[in-house]
Amino acid sequence: MVSSSSMPPWHLAFHPRGYSLPHPLLLSSSSSAFFPSHGKPFIQLIHPQIKPKVPRIRSSFPPPAAASLRRRQLRQHRPPHSRAANETAQVISIACCVFYSHCGNRAVHKSKTFGRNSDPNLLAFLENEKGTTWISNFLRMNELKDQICSSWFAPVGSASDYPLLSKWVIYGELVCSGSCAGPSDEISPLYSLWATFVGLYIANFVVERSTGWALTHPSTVLEDEKLKRQMKPDFLDMVPWYSGTSADLFKTAFDLMVSVTLFVGRFDMRMMQAAMKRTTDETQNDDLLYDYFNEREDLWFDFVADTGDGGNSSYTVARLLAQPSIQTVIGGSMHTLPRGNLLLIGGDLAYPNPSSFTYERRFFTPFEYALQPPPWYRPEHIALDKPEVPCGVSDMKEYDGPQCFIIPGNHDWFDGLHTFMRYICHKSWLGGWFLPQKKSYFALQLPKGWWIFGLDLALHGDIDVYQFKFFAELCRNKIGENDSVIVVTHEPNWLLDWYWKETTGKNVSHLIQEYLSGRCKLRMAGDLHHFMRHSANWSDNPIFVQHLLINGCGGAFLHPTHVFKNFEKFAGTTYECKAAYPSYDDSSGIALGNILKFRKKNWQFDTIGGFIYFILVFSMFPQCNLAHILNEETWPGRLKSFSSTIWSALLYIFEHSYVSSVGSITLLLASYSFVPSKLSRRKRAIIGGLHVLTHLTAALLLMLLLELGIELCIRNHLLATSGYHTLYDWYRSMESEHFPDPTGLRARLEQWTLGLYPACIKYLMSAFDVPEVMAVTRINICKNGMMSLSRSVLMMYYTSVFIYFWIFSTPVVSLIFGSYLYICINWFHIHFDEAFSSLRIANYKSFTRFHIKKDGDLEIFTLAVDKVPKDWKLDPKWETEVRRPHQLSHHWKQPSKWRSASSPDPVRSVRVVDHFTIARTRTSDPNTSC
């Protein structure tokens, strides 16, 4: 048998041991570079009888043109990372071939230098003064090459290690000084390196070709339809109000601060709107007064508020509003409630702040999915001369589609009403609802003597003098003595004034009491995200408002109702709660979720909570004197000693520490300010102090438990046994035992990298060995004091402590804070906003539908959905409905694109939670209602 060392390198590809994989040079994607003058594959240069099969290209183009076109298509669709991976694999494959040509496929290379078997005369010639010739340099380079090859390409294993792969690898040449009995059983590292990257090249080749095939072979119509059915709407989740990392919330706080500082009392967009009016006669101002509804025999219209929070809840309400009709049971019989010709939205269109993103994603998107905008609608279009009536409609009285009028809320005013003016007053469509509105406040003249006043309270909680003048002149000159008025505001100041023990909206009250003089039959508002209706009790005193209705369930998180159950008097009139949704008992039970679900709903709060706890106990690390706790023989004794240690630590914070004491005082002031101002200062101080004391005690308890855990590990020799680098020492011992280095490669790597090679591994492992760092540094501090350590070591210690303490403290801080909110909302009826915004409840959504009947009575239905779907799918009826070209969506039988993917569907589960009628005003009985 011929020795493998005498074979040419390419012969290894056809070694009689049964190698199946060819030599690296044969599969290299750039092997033709070595033989540029030949047009044949390299394998044919070695064995001409082997003719590789080339696939034929079937195309109408000539073969070269077809191949070129195919390559261009693949290059156009080839991902950049695929091209980079292929190029890297090719380069490394070529590099392996170059190394092979210099080093051979050697797995074992015994010492074999030039001087061993050379002619002595030649050696003497090289050692004389002429030894610096190019021949000497060449021979020394050959020695260097042998050293590099023997050092870098040490064996990576033998065939006995991989019995299943013994026939699928190339073995190295056994380079020895004498004759060799046979080929080596050692696996060549050069082959392993080459095979890895050739495998990478092959994988990228397959992915590239399959991707190119998919991109150049478009899917069929049936496949497109199947993919379309699998689509889901990209709705945003409920706003995380307790997220310490949300940029939107920081922007909201900044916008609110600027708005209160700049716009309240200094610049008011409502004054700008008044200055731009076209006429001095308020009763003829068509920018504010819309009277084209009054000639209809009857009218259906809807009211909803606080819409733009979570996409699921907002779309649920919008979808119900868009339905051509709703079938529901009232009084034991089925009733059909048609879609409203008019939609009133009571403010707070998008949370947490007004911006293009929140308006488009949280407000416009759900309504556009519910009722599609017209085909010619463009989102970027700005309406310059409203109303821009659709084609074929000459006057607004002829338009039979649904229309929408909106008043801004406090969240819409955070940017000075800029986004509201741009998206509402200068656009013509909200989905399929037409927007004729030009200003932020308006008056609507409805059939049968009914009127709607849409007031803009801004951040003042009241209307400005220009707005007051418009509505006052309207009351004197246009509204009849027997007419009825519905006043719509964003804030329900009748309920909030009672709750906060203050008086707001003086201009609104003056308008209602002095100018409407009993003609105000209903006041509606949002802002509070629940439904409540109070009706006036009959009395001899004048009743300025018959009914007070709140419905802010348009999509925002739920607010409680049980907090306001004791409200009963407003403007000298006694009221009785006729309906509340959710009920008082349900509302009180929902608050329990703050204990059980606060951390689940507000996991971002961990970022703040863990950091605050660490600041509170920063000065208490480490605790060196804990032996008295562990030396106690009984558990009661240990518990007593443990409690006394916590008390001592608490006293130490306020007597000696700086960081922890400042953090505690700051938290106390913040907690006092967090308690609602409706309480007395004494109660606020008590509640805030107990809240902070609970957190501080919990932080000290966790600190002491962590220190006791470290102390026990040190005593049982589980930590601090061999310095900072215990993990690295274990790694080196395992490395030397299981991965020997006979050629000294690791020592050379350390020399070549100037010590960075082991140092990086050592300190990286130390970074992951956090308990060891804590234990060793703790021992050094307790023995030699804090000043004996460098700043870098102290930073490393406190960072290690923070990591573990943060993990332990986050569940506790969330549990305590959630319990605080539950106690406050159910025992003291405070923090109604904070306690329910934390739960981010998307359920319990509702809207109110009105019907002005032919006899002039106003029938009112409040429809509610208890559970909001979380998953949606494409509605097959919407998809298959036949529509005429340019047909507006309000004529469609199925106007909404998505339906619930689970049961029950809101369209079928919607129910009436309140139903009453306000009779038309008659001369003999002006305050009739039932």
Side-chain angles (χ1 to χ4, degrees):
M1 178 181 292
V2 182
S3 173
S4 62
S5 61
S6 62
M7 298 178 184
W10 54 266
H11 196 278
L12 290 176
F14 308 98
H15 199 279
R17 293 186 64 172
Y19 310 130
S20 300
L21 290 179
H23 187 275
L25 198 58
L26 304 184
L27 280 184
S28 171
S29 59
S30 301
S31 59
S32 61
F34 293 94
F35 302 93
S37 60
H38 297 277
K40 300 179 180 180
F42 180 60
I43 191 171
Q44 284 187 269
L45 297 176
I46 303 169
H47 293 278
Q49 67 273 19
I50 299 179
K51 296 182 179 181
K53 295 182 179 180
V54 180
R56 297 178 61 187
I57 301 177
R58 296 182 179 182
S59 173
S60 59
F61 297 93
S68 177
L69 176 62
R70 180 63 175 168
R71 284 194 297 270
R72 283 199 306 271
Q73 293 174 343
L74 291 177
R75 279 197 299 269
Q76 291 173 358
H77 299 290
R78 184 185 301 175
H81 61 82
S82 175
R83 294 195 299 268
N86 283 341
E87 293 170 359
T88 303
Q90 293 173 12
V91 170
I92 296 181
S93 179
I94 295 173
C96 290
C97 296
V98 174
F99 278 124
Y100 184 90
S101 65
H102 285 280
C103 298
N105 194 20
R106 299 175 179 179
V108 178
H109 194 302
K110 298 184 178 180
S111 176
K112 182 181 178 183
T113 62
F114 176 78
R116 291 286 180 94
N117 302 315
S118 302
D119 187 359
N121 295 328
L122 180 60
L123 293 175
F125 168 75
L126 295 175
E127 291 175 357
N128 62 12
E129 60 183 9
K130 296 182 180 179
T132 59
T133 62
W134 66 272
I135 300 177
S136 175
N137 294 335
F138 173 77
L139 294 176
R140 287 193 175 91
M141 288 176 59
N142 189 60
E143 281 189 52
L144 178 62
K145 184 264 294 183
D146 288 342
Q147 292 179 4
I148 293 175
C149 292
S150 62
S151 299
W152 285 15
F153 301 117
V156 295
S158 64
S160 59
D161 298 329
Y162 311 97
L164 297 178
L165 304 176
S166 59
K167 294 182 179 182
W168 299 90
V169 299
I170 295 180
Y171 303 99
E173 303 174 56
L174 185 64
V175 180
C176 51
S177 56
S179 61
C180 300
S184 170
D185 195 40
E186 302 294 331
I187 300 174
S188 168
L190 187 63
Y191 166 76
S192 302
L193 181 66
W194 169 82
T196 299
F197 285 98
V198 166
L200 176 64
Y201 174 79
I202 294 173
N204 276 276
F205 180 86
V206 173
V207 172
E208 174 192 332
R209 290 303 186 268
S210 60
T211 305
W213 184 90
L215 292 174
T216 54
H217 291 72
S219 58
T220 63
V221 176
L222 294 178
E223 291 173 341
D224 288 338
E225 294 296 328
K226 185 177 180 180
L227 290 175
K228 189 184 297 183
R229 291 189 182 94
Q230 295 174 350
M231 292 191 304
K232 294 183 179 180
D234 185 20
F235 289 146
L236 297 179
D237 200 1
M238 307 289 285
V239 174
W241 294 100
Y242 283 86
S243 173
T245 58
S246 175
D248 279 341
L249 297 182
F250 285 107
K251 183 180 183 300
T252 301
F254 176 78
D255 288 344
L256 179 60
M257 180 183 65
V258 172
S259 298
V260 171
T261 303
L262 180 61
F263 296 110
V264 175
R266 291 174 175 82
F267 176 79
D268 196 329
M269 179 61 74
R270 298 174 300 181
M271 299 171 61
M272 181 71 71
Q273 295 179 77
M276 297 174 62
K277 65 183 180 180
R278 301 178 181 179
T279 178
T280 57
D281 186 358
E282 301 290 352
T283 60
Q284 302 298 324
N285 191 344
D286 58 357
D287 288 349
L288 299 173
L289 175 60
Y290 303 86
D291 58 358
Y292 47 80
F293 296 101
N294 66 333
E295 296 181 3
R296 302 190 183 191
E297 291 187 0
D298 67 338
L299 182 70
W300 289 85
F301 63 96
D302 300 324
F303 173 77
V304 70
D306 303 274
T307 53
D309 195 347
N312 293 324
S313 54
S314 298
Y315 177 71
T316 297
V317 177
R319 181 168 175 249
L320 291 173
L321 293 169
Q323 296 302 303
S325 63
I326 293 178
Q327 303 284 335
T328 184
V329 177
I330 304 175
S333 59
M334 185 67 68
H335 286 69
T336 299
L337 307 181
R339 177 177 54 216
N341 304 107
L342 172 65
L343 173 61
L344 302 172
I345 301 181
D348 279 0
L349 307 184
Y351 295 93
N353 53 29
S355 65
S356 297
F357 176 80
T358 56
Y359 264 55
E360 291 173 3
R361 293 295 305 277
R362 295 190 181 275
F363 179 55
F364 273 81
T365 296
F367 278 83
E368 289 174 353
Y369 278 141
L371 194 65
Q372 313 295 308
W376 62 84
Y377 169 75
R378 291 180 300 154
E380 66 276 8
H381 175 70
I382 297 177
L384 300 178
D385 188 16
K386 297 179 70 172
E388 296 179 339
V389 294
C391 297
V393 178
S394 60
D395 187 76
M396 284 301 300
K397 293 181 180 181
E398 299 178 5
Y399 181 67
D400 62 347
Q403 303 177 41
C404 181
F405 287 83
I406 306 172
I407 61 171
N410 57 307
H411 282 266
D412 302 305
W413 267 94
F414 284 173
D415 66 344
L417 211 64
H418 171 76
T419 306
F420 180 90
M421 297 296 294
R422 177 185 174 189
Y423 279 87
I424 304 302
C425 298
H426 293 287
K427 285 187 178 294
S428 294
W429 295 94
L430 171 62
W433 285 271
F434 186 62
L435 288 173
Q437 179 179 346
K438 304 175 185 178
K439 307 294 182 183
S440 63
Y441 55 94
F442 52 84
L444 305 178
Q445 186 176 3
L446 306 182
K448 310 302 179 182
W450 285 92
W451 293 75
I452 291 178
F453 286 1
L455 309 183
D456 180 6
L457 303 183
L459 295 175
H460 302 262
D462 203 354
I463 59 176
D464 62 305
V465 293
Y466 299 98
Q467 198 173 170
F468 181 88
K469 180 182 178 183
F470 166 73
F471 288 109
E473 292 190 8
L474 205 62
C475 293
R476 282 191 280 191
N477 302 324
K478 292 283 289 186
I479 299 178
E481 183 179 352
N482 294 327
D483 287 356
S484 303
V485 179
I486 301 172
V487 176
V488 182
T489 59
H490 173 65
E491 294 182 358
N493 64 333
W494 61 91
L495 198 60
L496 294 178
D497 286 355
W498 167 84
Y499 179 83
W500 294 110
K501 299 178 181 179
E502 60 185 12
T503 302
T504 61
K506 295 181 180 180
N507 291 344
V508 176
S509 299
H510 184 58
L511 177 68
I512 293 174
Q513 296 175 14
E514 299 297 330
Y515 288 86
L516 288 177
S517 302
R519 289 175 288 184
C520 180
K521 298 298 182 68
L522 174 66
R523 284 197 63 180
M524 292 194 304
D527 194 42
L528 295 178
H529 310 157
H530 59 227
F531 169 76
M532 294 187 77
R533 177 175 68 89
H534 294 83
S535 297
N537 293 327
W538 182 261
S539 68
D540 295 333
N541 297 325
I543 299 176
F544 299 106
V545 182
Q546 290 187 18
H547 302 276
L548 305 172
L549 186 148
I550 302 171
N551 195 343
C553 302
F557 65 88
L558 183 67
H559 270 145
T561 55
H562 68 282
V563 174
F564 306 97
K565 64 181 179 180
N566 295 326
F567 169 79
E568 60 181 14
K569 199 166 187 178
F570 173 66
T573 303
T574 302
Y575 289 86
E576 180 183 357
C577 183
K578 297 294 185 179
Y581 179 77
S583 65
Y584 294 152
D585 292 338
D586 290 342
S587 175
S588 179
I590 291 171
L592 184 63
N594 276 291
I595 299 178
L596 306 176
K597 301 178 182 179
F598 181 87
R599 188 164 189 249
K600 179 182 178 181
K601 296 283 188 177
N602 306 278
W603 57 268
Q604 302 97 326
F605 186 71
D606 290 350
T607 305
I608 298 177
F611 181 77
I612 291 175
Y613 266 37
F614 183 70
I615 293 297
L616 293 178
V617 297
F618 177 83
S619 303
M620 308 308 299
F621 288 104
Q623 291 288 309
C624 300
N625 301 318
L626 299 178
H628 63 285
I629 300 177
L630 301 176
N631 293 335
E632 293 286 344
E633 297 181 357
T634 62
W635 280 105
R638 293 172 183 171
L639 184 60
K640 182 178 179 181
S641 181
F642 186 84
S643 302
S644 63
T645 305
I646 292 180
W647 176 252
S648 301
L650 184 62
L651 295 178
Y652 178 85
I653 287 178
F654 294 101
E655 291 178 357
H656 302 285
S657 70
Y658 294 99
V659 177
S660 297
S661 60
V662 171
S664 301
I665 295 173
T666 304
L667 184 61
L668 180 62
L669 296 175
S671 181
Y672 173 82
S673 303
F674 186 64
V675 179
S677 59
K678 64 174 293 186
L679 300 180
S680 64
R681 293 182 179 179
R682 181 181 178 182
K683 291 183 179 179
R684 294 177 68 188
I686 293 174
I687 295 175
L690 290 175
H691 188 198
V692 172
L693 182 62
T694 305
H695 282 297
L696 187 57
T697 303
L700 291 172
L701 178 65
L702 293 172
M703 178 273 301
L704 202 54
L705 289 175
L706 180 60
E707 288 290 294
L708 279 174
I710 298 175
E711 181 71 21
L712 285 173
C713 290
I714 294 175
R715 286 195 173 196
N716 291 279
H717 305 288
L718 298 176
L719 292 176
T721 56
S722 58
Y724 286 107
H725 306 294
T726 304
L727 184 61
Y728 178 72
D729 295 339
W730 171 85
Y731 161 75
R732 293 305 297 264
S733 63
M734 295 294 294
E735 184 184 43
S736 60
E737 180 179 354
H738 297 282
F739 303 95
D741 184 17
T743 61
L745 178 61
R746 284 192 287 269
R748 282 191 290 274
L749 282 177
E750 182 177 355
Q751 181 180 3
W752 292 341
T753 60
L754 302 178
L756 292 177
Y757 157 66
C760 291
I761 298 178
K762 178 188 293 186
Y763 288 104
L764 186 62
M765 288 187 172
S766 298
F768 284 97
D769 195 9
V770 177
E772 192 72 23
V773 173
M774 293 167 56
V776 174
T777 310
R778 182 178 182 272
I779 292 176
N780 293 336
I781 294 175
C782 292
K783 285 184 177 180
N784 306 317
M786 192 76 71
M787 302 303 295
S788 63
L789 302 179
S790 63
R791 291 184 178 180
S792 60
V793 175
L794 287 177
M795 289 180 60
M796 185 170 59
Y797 169 70
Y798 280 113
T799 303
S800 304
V801 170
F802 172 75
I803 292 173
Y804 271 84
F805 187 78
W806 185 85
I807 294 174
F808 294 152
S809 63
T810 48
V812 177
V813 64
S814 297
L815 178 63
I816 293 176
F817 190 74
S819 301
Y820 165 80
L821 292 177
Y822 170 75
I823 293 173
C824 288
I825 190 66
N826 275 5
W827 292 10
F828 304 108
H829 289 178
I830 58 176
H831 289 311
F832 72 89
D833 205 9
E834 295 84 356
F836 271 64
S837 63
S838 63
L839 299 177
R840 302 163 63 191
I841 297 173
N843 297 326
Y844 299 99
K845 293 296 164 277
S846 68
F847 68 96
T848 302
R849 179 156 289 179
F850 301 82
H851 181 209
I852 301 177
K853 299 190 292 185
K854 295 181 180 180
D855 61 1
D857 292 345
L858 180 65
E859 192 173 12
I860 303 173
F861 312 84
T862 295
L863 298 99
V865 175
D866 297 333
K867 187 173 180 60
V868 169
K870 296 181 180 179
D871 296 319
W872 305 89
K873 64 181 180 180
L874 195 65
D875 192 339
K877 295 181 180 179
W878 176 89
E879 189 179 16
T880 58
E881 182 178 351
V882 179
R883 309 180 182 100
R884 297 192 307 271
H886 304 291
Q887 184 183 27
L888 296 178
S889 58
H890 64 269
H891 293 297
W892 301 353
K893 295 180 180 179
Q894 300 293 333
S896 300
K897 182 175 182 179
W898 310 104
R899 60 167 299 171
S900 174
S902 59
S903 58
D905 191 277
V907 175
R908 297 181 178 179
S909 63
V910 63
R911 61 190 180 93
V912 174
V913 295
D914 185 35
H915 175 221
F916 69 105
T917 301
I918 303 177
R920 181 180 182 181
T921 301
R922 294 172 177 84
T923 306
S924 58
D925 192 7
N927 293 322
T928 302
S929 65
C930 59

